[in-house]
Each structure stands twice: as structure tokens, then as C-alpha cells.
PDB file of all heavy atoms in Angstrom:
ATOM      1  N   GLY A  21      18.521   6.717  13.536  1.00 76.00           N
ATOM      2  CA  GLY A  21      19.038   6.774  12.168  1.00 76.00           C
ATOM      3  C   GLY A  21      18.677   8.054  11.424  1.00 76.00           C
ATOM      4  O   GLY A  21      19.547   8.734  10.883  1.00 76.00           O
ATOM      5  N   LEU A  22      17.390   8.388  11.387  1.00 83.00           N
ATOM      6  CA  LEU A  22      16.977   9.594  10.671  1.00 83.00           C
ATOM      7  C   LEU A  22      17.453  10.854  11.372  1.00 83.00           C
ATOM      8  O   LEU A  22      17.814  11.842  10.727  1.00 83.00           O
ATOM      9  CB  LEU A  22      15.446   9.608  10.520  1.00 83.00           C
ATOM     10  CG  LEU A  22      14.882   8.611   9.522  1.00 83.00           C
ATOM     11  CD1 LEU A  22      13.356   8.635   9.546  1.00 83.00           C
ATOM     12  CD2 LEU A  22      15.391   8.892   8.110  1.00 83.00           C
ATOM     13  N   HIS A  23      17.447  10.842  12.701  1.00 81.00           N
ATOM     14  CA  HIS A  23      17.936  11.987  13.473  1.00 81.00           C
ATOM     15  C   HIS A  23      19.408  12.241  13.140  1.00 81.00           C
ATOM     16  O   HIS A  23      19.819  13.380  12.867  1.00 81.00           O
ATOM     17  CB  HIS A  23      17.757  11.699  14.964  1.00 81.00           C
ATOM     18  CG  HIS A  23      18.264  12.801  15.854  1.00 81.00           C
ATOM     19  ND1 HIS A  23      17.652  14.030  15.940  1.00 81.00           N
ATOM     20  CD2 HIS A  23      19.324  12.847  16.698  1.00 81.00           C
ATOM     21  CE1 HIS A  23      18.303  14.791  16.805  1.00 81.00           C
ATOM     22  NE2 HIS A  23      19.323  14.095  17.272  1.00 81.00           N
ATOM     23  N   LEU A  24      20.212  11.183  13.141  1.00 81.00           N
ATOM     24  CA  LEU A  24      21.623  11.312  12.803  1.00 81.00           C
ATOM     25  C   LEU A  24      21.813  11.719  11.339  1.00 81.00           C
ATOM     26  O   LEU A  24      22.661  12.561  11.033  1.00 81.00           O
ATOM     27  CB  LEU A  24      22.357   9.989  13.050  1.00 81.00           C
ATOM     28  CG  LEU A  24      22.769   9.719  14.496  1.00 81.00           C
ATOM     29  CD1 LEU A  24      23.258   8.266  14.621  1.00 81.00           C
ATOM     30  CD2 LEU A  24      23.846  10.671  14.959  1.00 81.00           C
ATOM     31  N   SER A  25      21.019  11.144  10.451  1.00 85.00           N
ATOM     32  CA  SER A  25      21.135  11.485   9.035  1.00 85.00           C
ATOM     33  C   SER A  25      20.867  12.974   8.799  1.00 85.00           C
ATOM     34  O   SER A  25      21.598  13.631   8.038  1.00 85.00           O
ATOM     35  CB  SER A  25      20.160  10.648   8.203  1.00 85.00           C
ATOM     36  OG  SER A  25      20.499   9.278   8.276  1.00 85.00           O
ATOM     37  N   GLN A  26      19.850  13.512   9.451  1.00 87.00           N
ATOM     38  CA  GLN A  26      19.551  14.935   9.284  1.00 87.00           C
ATOM     39  C   GLN A  26      20.692  15.792   9.823  1.00 87.00           C
ATOM     40  O   GLN A  26      21.107  16.765   9.190  1.00 87.00           O
ATOM     41  CB  GLN A  26      18.235  15.266  10.027  1.00 87.00           C
ATOM     42  CG  GLN A  26      17.769  16.703   9.857  1.00 87.00           C
ATOM     43  CD  GLN A  26      17.328  17.008   8.445  1.00 87.00           C
ATOM     44  OE1 GLN A  26      18.160  17.240   7.569  1.00 87.00           O
ATOM     45  NE2 GLN A  26      16.031  16.997   8.219  1.00 87.00           N
ATOM     46  N   LYS A  27      21.215  15.439  10.999  1.00 85.00           N
ATOM     47  CA  LYS A  27      22.311  16.202  11.579  1.00 85.00           C
ATOM     48  C   LYS A  27      23.563  16.141  10.698  1.00 85.00           C
ATOM     49  O   LYS A  27      24.244  17.171  10.488  1.00 85.00           O
ATOM     50  CB  LYS A  27      22.647  15.704  12.986  1.00 85.00           C
ATOM     51  CG  LYS A  27      21.672  16.169  14.059  1.00 85.00           C
ATOM     52  CD  LYS A  27      22.332  16.096  15.425  1.00 85.00           C
ATOM     53  CE  LYS A  27      21.580  16.935  16.443  1.00 85.00           C
ATOM     54  NZ  LYS A  27      22.329  17.124  17.682  1.00 85.00           N
ATOM     55  N   LEU A  28      23.876  14.980  10.192  1.00 86.00           N
ATOM     56  CA  LEU A  28      25.051  14.827   9.330  1.00 86.00           C
ATOM     57  C   LEU A  28      24.868  15.603   8.028  1.00 86.00           C
ATOM     58  O   LEU A  28      25.815  16.241   7.538  1.00 86.00           O
ATOM     59  CB  LEU A  28      25.299  13.354   9.035  1.00 86.00           C
ATOM     60  CG  LEU A  28      25.763  12.497  10.223  1.00 86.00           C
ATOM     61  CD1 LEU A  28      25.797  11.019   9.840  1.00 86.00           C
ATOM     62  CD2 LEU A  28      27.129  12.952  10.729  1.00 86.00           C
ATOM     63  N   ALA A  29      23.681  15.557   7.456  1.00 88.00           N
ATOM     64  CA  ALA A  29      23.411  16.310   6.221  1.00 88.00           C
ATOM     65  C   ALA A  29      23.578  17.806   6.458  1.00 88.00           C
ATOM     66  O   ALA A  29      24.185  18.530   5.648  1.00 88.00           O
ATOM     67  CB  ALA A  29      22.003  15.998   5.695  1.00 88.00           C
ATOM     68  N   GLN A  30      23.034  18.289   7.556  1.00 88.00           N
ATOM     69  CA  GLN A  30      23.153  19.712   7.879  1.00 88.00           C
ATOM     70  C   GLN A  30      24.605  20.104   8.110  1.00 88.00           C
ATOM     71  O   GLN A  30      25.031  21.210   7.751  1.00 88.00           O
ATOM     72  CB  GLN A  30      22.303  20.035   9.111  1.00 88.00           C
ATOM     73  CG  GLN A  30      20.810  19.953   8.836  1.00 88.00           C
ATOM     74  CD  GLN A  30      19.970  20.050  10.099  1.00 88.00           C
ATOM     75  OE1 GLN A  30      20.491  19.984  11.209  1.00 88.00           O
ATOM     76  NE2 GLN A  30      18.665  20.192   9.941  1.00 88.00           N
ATOM     77  N   LEU A  31      25.372  19.191   8.708  1.00 86.00           N
ATOM     78  CA  LEU A  31      26.796  19.454   8.934  1.00 86.00           C
ATOM     79  C   LEU A  31      27.529  19.655   7.611  1.00 86.00           C
ATOM     80  O   LEU A  31      28.504  20.417   7.545  1.00 86.00           O
ATOM     81  CB  LEU A  31      27.411  18.269   9.706  1.00 86.00           C
ATOM     82  CG  LEU A  31      28.825  18.431  10.256  1.00 86.00           C
ATOM     83  CD1 LEU A  31      28.858  19.491  11.347  1.00 86.00           C
ATOM     84  CD2 LEU A  31      29.320  17.111  10.815  1.00 86.00           C
ATOM     85  N   MET A  32      27.039  19.023   6.559  1.00 89.00           N
ATOM     86  CA  MET A  32      27.673  19.139   5.236  1.00 89.00           C
ATOM     87  C   MET A  32      26.988  20.170   4.347  1.00 89.00           C
ATOM     88  O   MET A  32      27.246  20.225   3.142  1.00 89.00           O
ATOM     89  CB  MET A  32      27.673  17.768   4.548  1.00 89.00           C
ATOM     90  CG  MET A  32      28.532  16.741   5.268  1.00 89.00           C
ATOM     91  SD  MET A  32      28.623  15.135   4.401  1.00 89.00           S
ATOM     92  CE  MET A  32      26.980  14.478   4.707  1.00 89.00           C
ATOM     93  N   GLY A  33      26.099  20.983   4.923  1.00 89.00           N
ATOM     94  CA  GLY A  33      25.437  22.021   4.152  1.00 89.00           C
ATOM     95  C   GLY A  33      24.225  21.552   3.376  1.00 89.00           C
ATOM     96  O   GLY A  33      23.780  22.238   2.444  1.00 89.00           O
ATOM     97  N   GLY A  34      23.682  20.402   3.765  1.00 89.00           N
ATOM     98  CA  GLY A  34      22.500  19.881   3.057  1.00 89.00           C
ATOM     99  C   GLY A  34      21.340  19.646   3.987  1.00 89.00           C
ATOM    100  O   GLY A  34      21.255  20.214   5.071  1.00 89.00           O
ATOM    101  N   ALA A  35      20.414  18.773   3.569  1.00 89.00           N
ATOM    102  CA  ALA A  35      19.233  18.485   4.372  1.00 89.00           C
ATOM    103  C   ALA A  35      18.612  17.178   3.895  1.00 89.00           C
ATOM    104  O   ALA A  35      18.790  16.754   2.748  1.00 89.00           O
ATOM    105  CB  ALA A  35      18.213  19.618   4.288  1.00 89.00           C
ATOM    106  N   VAL A  36      17.864  16.564   4.812  1.00 91.00           N
ATOM    107  CA  VAL A  36      17.083  15.367   4.476  1.00 91.00           C
ATOM    108  C   VAL A  36      15.610  15.741   4.536  1.00 91.00           C
ATOM    109  O   VAL A  36      15.166  16.393   5.487  1.00 91.00           O
ATOM    110  CB  VAL A  36      17.376  14.204   5.469  1.00 91.00           C
ATOM    111  CG1 VAL A  36      16.507  13.011   5.141  1.00 91.00           C
ATOM    112  CG2 VAL A  36      18.844  13.825   5.426  1.00 91.00           C
ATOM    113  N   SER A  37      14.849  15.352   3.527  1.00 90.00           N
ATOM    114  CA  SER A  37      13.427  15.678   3.441  1.00 90.00           C
ATOM    115  C   SER A  37      12.628  14.432   3.097  1.00 90.00           C
ATOM    116  O   SER A  37      13.206  13.396   2.747  1.00 90.00           O
ATOM    117  CB  SER A  37      13.179  16.773   2.393  1.00 90.00           C
ATOM    118  OG  SER A  37      14.012  17.884   2.611  1.00 90.00           O
ATOM    119  N   LEU A  38      11.296  14.540   3.196  1.00 90.00           N
ATOM    120  CA  LEU A  38      10.474  13.376   2.873  1.00 90.00           C
ATOM    121  C   LEU A  38       9.088  13.779   2.424  1.00 90.00           C
ATOM    122  O   LEU A  38       8.601  14.865   2.740  1.00 90.00           O
ATOM    123  CB  LEU A  38      10.356  12.470   4.098  1.00 90.00           C
ATOM    124  CG  LEU A  38       9.369  12.924   5.195  1.00 90.00           C
ATOM    125  CD1 LEU A  38       8.123  12.057   5.162  1.00 90.00           C
ATOM    126  CD2 LEU A  38       9.995  12.904   6.554  1.00 90.00           C
ATOM    127  N   THR A  39       8.479  12.891   1.663  1.00 91.00           N
ATOM    128  CA  THR A  39       7.030  12.919   1.405  1.00 91.00           C
ATOM    129  C   THR A  39       6.553  11.497   1.593  1.00 91.00           C
ATOM    130  O   THR A  39       7.294  10.536   1.366  1.00 91.00           O
ATOM    131  CB  THR A  39       6.722  13.388  -0.037  1.00 91.00           C
ATOM    132  OG1 THR A  39       7.347  12.517  -0.955  1.00 91.00           O
ATOM    133  CG2 THR A  39       7.168  14.804  -0.265  1.00 91.00           C
ATOM    134  N   SER A  40       5.295  11.342   2.021  1.00 90.00           N
ATOM    135  CA  SER A  40       4.788   9.991   2.270  1.00 90.00           C
ATOM    136  C   SER A  40       3.287   9.957   2.084  1.00 90.00           C
ATOM    137  O   SER A  40       2.589  10.921   2.416  1.00 90.00           O
ATOM    138  CB  SER A  40       5.150   9.531   3.684  1.00 90.00           C
ATOM    139  OG  SER A  40       4.767   8.183   3.882  1.00 90.00           O
ATOM    140  N   ASP A  41       2.825   8.844   1.562  1.00 90.00           N
ATOM    141  CA  ASP A  41       1.390   8.573   1.409  1.00 90.00           C
ATOM    142  C   ASP A  41       1.112   7.320   2.234  1.00 90.00           C
ATOM    143  O   ASP A  41       1.513   6.212   1.836  1.00 90.00           O
ATOM    144  CB  ASP A  41       1.045   8.367  -0.063  1.00 90.00           C
ATOM    145  CG  ASP A  41      -0.456   8.303  -0.306  1.00 90.00           C
ATOM    146  OD1 ASP A  41      -1.215   8.326   0.701  1.00 90.00           O
ATOM    147  OD2 ASP A  41      -0.861   8.219  -1.478  1.00 90.00           O
ATOM    148  N   TYR A  42       0.447   7.486   3.375  1.00 89.00           N
ATOM    149  CA  TYR A  42       0.291   6.384   4.305  1.00 89.00           C
ATOM    150  C   TYR A  42      -0.419   5.193   3.639  1.00 89.00           C
ATOM    151  O   TYR A  42      -1.457   5.335   3.011  1.00 89.00           O
ATOM    152  CB  TYR A  42      -0.499   6.811   5.527  1.00 89.00           C
ATOM    153  CG  TYR A  42      -0.617   5.733   6.580  1.00 89.00           C
ATOM    154  CD1 TYR A  42       0.502   5.238   7.215  1.00 89.00           C
ATOM    155  CD2 TYR A  42      -1.858   5.182   6.904  1.00 89.00           C
ATOM    156  CE1 TYR A  42       0.418   4.234   8.173  1.00 89.00           C
ATOM    157  CE2 TYR A  42      -1.971   4.181   7.868  1.00 89.00           C
ATOM    158  CZ  TYR A  42      -0.821   3.714   8.489  1.00 89.00           C
ATOM    159  OH  TYR A  42      -0.918   2.719   9.429  1.00 89.00           O
ATOM    160  N   GLY A  43       0.231   4.037   3.775  1.00 86.00           N
ATOM    161  CA  GLY A  43      -0.309   2.820   3.172  1.00 86.00           C
ATOM    162  C   GLY A  43       0.168   2.576   1.759  1.00 86.00           C
ATOM    163  O   GLY A  43      -0.049   1.490   1.202  1.00 86.00           O
ATOM    164  N   LYS A  44       0.829   3.565   1.151  1.00 90.00           N
ATOM    165  CA  LYS A  44       1.264   3.413  -0.244  1.00 90.00           C
ATOM    166  C   LYS A  44       2.772   3.539  -0.425  1.00 90.00           C
ATOM    167  O   LYS A  44       3.322   3.009  -1.390  1.00 90.00           O
ATOM    168  CB  LYS A  44       0.566   4.453  -1.131  1.00 90.00           C
ATOM    169  CG  LYS A  44      -0.943   4.273  -1.205  1.00 90.00           C
ATOM    170  CD  LYS A  44      -1.570   5.295  -2.147  1.00 90.00           C
ATOM    171  CE  LYS A  44      -3.084   5.087  -2.247  1.00 90.00           C
ATOM    172  NZ  LYS A  44      -3.717   6.078  -3.152  1.00 90.00           N
TER     173      LYS A  44
END
């Protein structure tokens, strides 16, 4: 899912990013 989402976003000139706090 995330792999495809990143590829599709890049195909449209965008990007997928994230921040995370483990456990929160």
C-alpha cells in the first residue's frame, strides 16, 4: 500500500512523507 502510494504520488508530481513517535 505505502509503496504504491509513493509511486502514484510521484507519478502525479507529488510525494508521500511521514513523521512518527513510536508508541504515540
Side-chain angles (χ1 to χ4, degrees):
L22 288 175
H23 179 69
L24 279 171
S25 295
Q26 184 68 281
K27 282 201 162 192
L28 291 173
Q30 291 171 349
L31 190 66
M32 294 184 288
V36 177
S37 307
L38 78 106
T39 58
S40 185
D41 189 355
Y42 184 63
K44 295 183 179 180

